[in-house]
Amino acid sequence: MSTATHAQTSAPRRRRVNLTVIAPLVALLVLIGIGMALNPNFLSYANITNVLARSAFIGIIAIGMTFVITAGGLDLSVGSMAAFVAGLMILVMNLLTDSMGPGLPVIALGIAVALLAGLAAGFINGILITRAGIEAFILTLGTMGIYRSLVTWLADGGTLSLGYEMREMYRPVYYGGILGIAWPIIVFALLAILGEIAMRHTAFGRHCAAIGSNEKVARYSSVAVLRVRLATYVLLGVLVGIAVVMYVPRLGSASATTGLLWELEAIAAVIIGGTLLKGGFGRVWGTVVGVLILSLIGNLLNLTDFVSPYLNGAIQGVVIILAVVLQRNTGAAR
Amino acid sequence: MKATLVATTALLGLTAVPALSQTVGISIPAATHGWAGALNFHAERTVARLAEANPDMEFVLTTTSDPGQQVSDLEDMVATRGIDALVVLPFESEPLTGPIARIADSGVWVTVVDRGLAQEGIEDLYVAGDNDSFGRTAGQYFAQTLDEGAQVVVMRGIASTVDNERVAGFEAALEGSGVEVAAMDHGNWNRDTAFNLMQDWLSRFPEIDAVWAADDDMAVGALAAIDQAGRTGEMFVVGGAGMKEMVDRIRNSDPTVPVNVTYPPSMISTAIEMTVLGLTAGAPMSGDFIIASELITPDNAENFYFEDSPY
């Protein structure tokens, strides 16, 4: 549907649409320019790697969130879900190490647990939203609290830590890489490309946009509305699992503060990237740009004393609001 | 010694007032980070032990994650459980002062733990760590160990009075030593935030001699970032609160983690024990009980290592 609109827009309208397309990119370039001016180390290999690798968790989740929001849904539970899945994964890996001894099979099983737990959690969200007909906002608000409590309970109020030997063995999954590019960056890039292709060139992506745009029309056009919507939540759950697989080797621990506010950062990244919050139009590459903008703001504030760190949230807030103001034009044109 | 004290007071309680059951309410923050987790661990353990030692005494333990909910919990305790004594670690000082003052006025014994109330003279007993000493002890170590002109970065906690007092103590101890604070920012007592912050500081400063992470959770994040950047050995990291893993590294004489500063979460046990003693023993228990922060060094680390604690 979105392709049709783009093809038919007249010249002046296209110029306006283009503005919203390039706005996030311009913002990103401006931030990079500021970074170069502030600190000569900004473009250093280490700094770029750090920023990209730490963006990967929220980035991978935000890719899934793009589909959910495009299909007119929302998921507030992803941050808590990530913490719970991470806690579960560490717990299982520690138990397996006791019985099997440290080794690659334990890592493989741990990864399988993370992916399956993510899938199951996404399925529970999706099935309750589509079959029990609970508003997504309310349901995921509920599961957000449930997962957060579960991880606190699993950790006994403290921190779940991966055993020392396993931590050393599993560590390269975050810190290692090929050709000097860290694994989280590679995985994030691959998933972003796959997500962009799925959104633009597959029936699934078009169905998401159709449902988000007008559910009734989509149903009359024989789109399996419930099934597609369920699939978006399951996809998001699996992506949370993948993010956790990358996250656990970083500090080898999970606690009740893991993944705090990730859901809001992911949603913010999606919106900054040009996806409509009310659904109907989604852009995965825009989401990637949004994620980078958000983590660059944090990075820049740490690299300088120029702005008080108390204002980090305020600057992110301004960027989010600006992004939505620009979107308003797109909304009217559609 | 503590155990015998409890046992004797329990006996006294049994013989003196056999029919009268008393209820102690305990309200503490939820276990949302390491230190609070240990606080919960010690509270639960103490309650279990005291409940066994005092069969005629009831305990109500609630945990909350925000000040509003804590006020509701306190109201419920007074209304439905008729508590005789309250042990409370206020989530925030200002909003809890009024509600706790009303409870104290109604004749309930009140013990305030760690975070003081905004108004003086409300509580019967005050048990707390010493935040000034917490920062000052670390600062003194920095001033003594580091040379003039050494570069230090400081990771603060969540913006709060606790954090301000600690940092003020730290800065006061550094005064005149010639040690320079290159950067200071909030790591929010969180591992992930501390990891990111340390990564950025490592790219920003070619030379860092020491890190003060005002909590061991943050020290974990800082250490991971230093390790990743391959700059282990250039600087030492001093955390705080005595996390098990950190104490373990100190007793093994790790040069990166030379010392630590205590801020014992087990102070909740001290508070509950003293409150129960006040109810049962008839001994004077009111006043202030301030637990000083101690420097954990390889020589005394063994005394601060608790195998069973989650923290």
Side-chain angles (χ1 to χ4, degrees):
Chain A
M1 199 202 88
S2 60
T3 36
T5 323
H6 280 300
Q8 284 163 15
T9 41
S10 54
R13 187 178 291 177
R14 177 177 295 150
R15 200 173 297 142
R16 197 160 61 203
V17 169
N18 278 347
L19 179 72
T20 71
V21 167
I22 61 165
L25 279 177
V26 171
L28 186 62
L29 289 175
V30 168
L31 281 175
I32 292 173
I34 295 174
M36 285 161 64
L38 281 178
N39 195 303
N41 281 332
F42 176 72
L43 280 184
S44 70
Y45 166 74
N47 194 47
I48 296 291
T49 304
N50 289 345
V51 172
L52 288 176
R54 78 171 72 142
S55 307
F57 315 126
I58 296 199
I60 291 169
I61 293 171
I63 292 169
M65 191 68 83
T66 312
F67 286 90
V68 169
I69 292 179
T70 302
L74 196 66
D75 192 336
L76 296 176
S77 70
V78 287
S80 306
M81 194 195 287
F84 170 65
V85 172
L88 196 67
M89 180 182 182
I90 290 171
L91 210 62
V92 169
M93 285 176 79
N94 281 344
L95 285 176
L96 287 173
T97 315
D98 289 343
S99 57
M100 297 164 60
L104 284 179
V106 176
I107 292 181
L109 284 171
I111 290 174
V113 165
L115 297 181
L116 282 176
L119 188 141
F123 183 79
I124 292 169
N125 275 347
I127 204 82
L128 286 172
I129 288 165
T130 54
R131 303 292 159 171
I134 306 166
E135 186 63 43
F137 184 91
I138 296 302
L139 181 93
T140 56
L141 190 65
T143 47
M144 171 170 90
I146 294 170
Y147 292 131
R148 182 67 60 197
S149 302
L150 282 177
V151 70
T152 312
W153 176 69
L154 280 184
D156 212 5
T159 305
L160 283 165
S161 293
L162 200 54
Y164 179 74
E165 273 179 278
M166 282 317 301
R167 205 183 309 174
E168 286 302 301
M169 202 174 287
Y170 191 17
R171 207 181 121 84
V173 174
Y174 182 81
Y175 293 101
I178 35 175
L179 302 172
I181 307 171
W183 284 118
I185 304 175
I186 296 170
V187 173
F188 181 26
L190 279 178
L191 289 172
I193 292 167
L194 287 177
E196 180 67 19
I197 292 171
M199 182 66 86
R200 285 209 181 201
H201 302 290
T202 65
F204 175 64
R206 281 194 294 275
H207 287 170
C208 286
I211 295 168
S213 185
N214 191 325
E215 195 179 323
K216 256 187 195 156
V217 173
R219 186 168 291 142
Y220 296 147
S221 320
S222 68
V223 171
V225 173
L226 296 186
R227 204 174 302 161
V228 170
R229 189 163 273 169
L230 172 63
T232 61
Y233 287 99
V234 173
L235 174 70
L236 177 55
V238 172
L239 288 171
V240 168
I242 295 175
V244 166
V245 168
M246 304 271 116
Y247 171 83
V248 166
R250 184 163 93 169
L251 295 173
S253 66
S255 69
T257 50
T258 301
L260 219 51
L261 295 185
W262 281 11
E263 60 282 345
L264 292 187
E265 276 202 48
I267 293 168
V270 170
I271 304 308
I272 291 171
T275 297
L276 293 180
L277 183 57
K278 58 179 188 262
F281 175 76
R283 209 160 57 184
V284 172
W285 70 262
T287 299
V288 173
V289 173
V291 169
L292 294 181
I293 288 176
L294 285 180
S295 50
L296 269 185
I297 294 172
N299 179 243
L300 287 176
L301 290 176
N302 289 343
L303 287 179
T304 169
D305 284 330
F306 193 60
V307 187
S308 162
Y310 292 124
L311 290 174
N312 188 342
I315 293 173
Q316 290 193 344
V318 169
V319 171
I320 294 166
I321 292 169
L322 278 179
V324 178
V325 168
L326 284 169
Q327 266 189 19
R328 206 173 45 182
N329 297 332
T330 342
R334 299 175 68 77
Chain B
M1 198 198 82
K2 241 179 212 168
T4 40
L5 261 180
V6 172
T8 42
T9 50
L11 278 174
L12 274 176
L14 273 175
T15 47
V17 275
L20 202 76
S21 90
Q22 287 182 306
T23 309
V24 179
I26 301 154
S27 171
I28 54 177
T32 47
H33 65 274
W35 193 85
L39 185 84
N40 279 259
F41 168 79
H42 286 292
E44 279 172 34
R45 253 187 12 166
T46 311
V47 164
R49 197 177 66 236
L50 288 176
E52 203 174 314
N54 303 276
D56 60 336
M57 195 168 266
E58 280 187 64
F59 294 89
V60 190
L61 176 64
T62 63
T63 62
T64 44
S65 47
D66 69 272
Q69 200 195 336
Q70 192 169 29
V71 173
S72 316
D73 280 355
L74 295 181
E75 286 168 354
D76 290 351
M77 273 186 200
V78 173
T80 62
R81 304 295 297 263
I83 51 170
D84 302 286
L86 171 71
V87 179
V88 58
L89 201 164
F91 208 93
E92 276 175 31
S93 304
E94 294 285 344
L96 265 304
T97 300
I100 293 175
R102 275 195 291 282
I103 294 173
D105 286 345
S106 71
V108 172
W109 172 281
V110 173
T111 301
V112 171
V113 188
D114 199 30
R115 267 165 240 174
L117 296 175
Q119 219 178 311
E120 278 178 30
I122 294 172
E123 68 270 9
D124 299 282
L125 172 64
Y126 179 57
V127 177
D130 186 345
N131 285 304
D132 178 70
S133 147
F134 180 90
R136 200 174 287 269
T137 309
Q140 278 160 356
Y141 178 78
F142 277 61
Q144 283 159 13
T145 322
L146 293 167
D147 299 327
E148 206 159 300
Q151 300 289 311
V152 175
V153 291
V154 174
M155 257 178 219
R156 312 179 56 153
I158 293 171
S160 58
T161 47
V162 170
D163 182 60
N164 291 342
E165 283 170 28
R166 290 177 175 188
V167 173
F170 181 79
E171 286 180 323
L174 278 196
E175 220 153 272
S177 66
V179 174
E180 282 170 36
V181 175
M184 196 185 270
D185 205 339
H186 292 268
N188 299 340
W189 293 318
N190 178 296
R191 290 181 182 206
D192 289 315
T193 317
F195 179 83
N196 292 347
L197 192 58
M198 195 66 219
Q199 275 191 333
D200 291 344
W201 277 342
L202 287 167
S203 351
R204 182 171 154 196
F205 302 111
E207 192 210 327
I208 299 173
D209 297 298
V211 183
W212 183 48
D215 182 81
D216 284 337
D217 263 326
M218 293 197 290
V220 169
L223 286 166
I226 294 168
D227 191 24
Q228 179 213 11
R231 288 171 70 173
T232 311
E234 284 180 32
M235 65 198 82
F236 65 79
V237 178
V238 174
M243 180 190 277
K244 221 163 61 170
E245 287 82 2
M246 292 294 155
V247 178
D248 187 47
R249 290 177 77 152
I250 293 167
R251 68 176 177 178
N252 293 326
S253 298
D254 187 327
T256 311
V257 186
V259 295
N260 202 292
V261 180
T262 60
Y263 197 80
S266 51
M267 69 172 75
I268 190 70
S269 304
T270 315
I272 300 171
E273 299 263 12
M274 290 176 78
T275 305
V276 170
L277 273 180
L279 286 181
T280 56
M285 281 294 160
S286 52
D288 291 355
F289 192 92
I290 307 300
I291 301 162
S293 289
E294 291 176 60
L295 195 68
I296 306 179
T297 62
D299 296 328
N300 66 6
E302 209 53 55
N303 306 335
F304 296 97
Y305 189 80
F306 303 107
E307 186 60 53
D308 295 336
S309 168
Y311 183 65

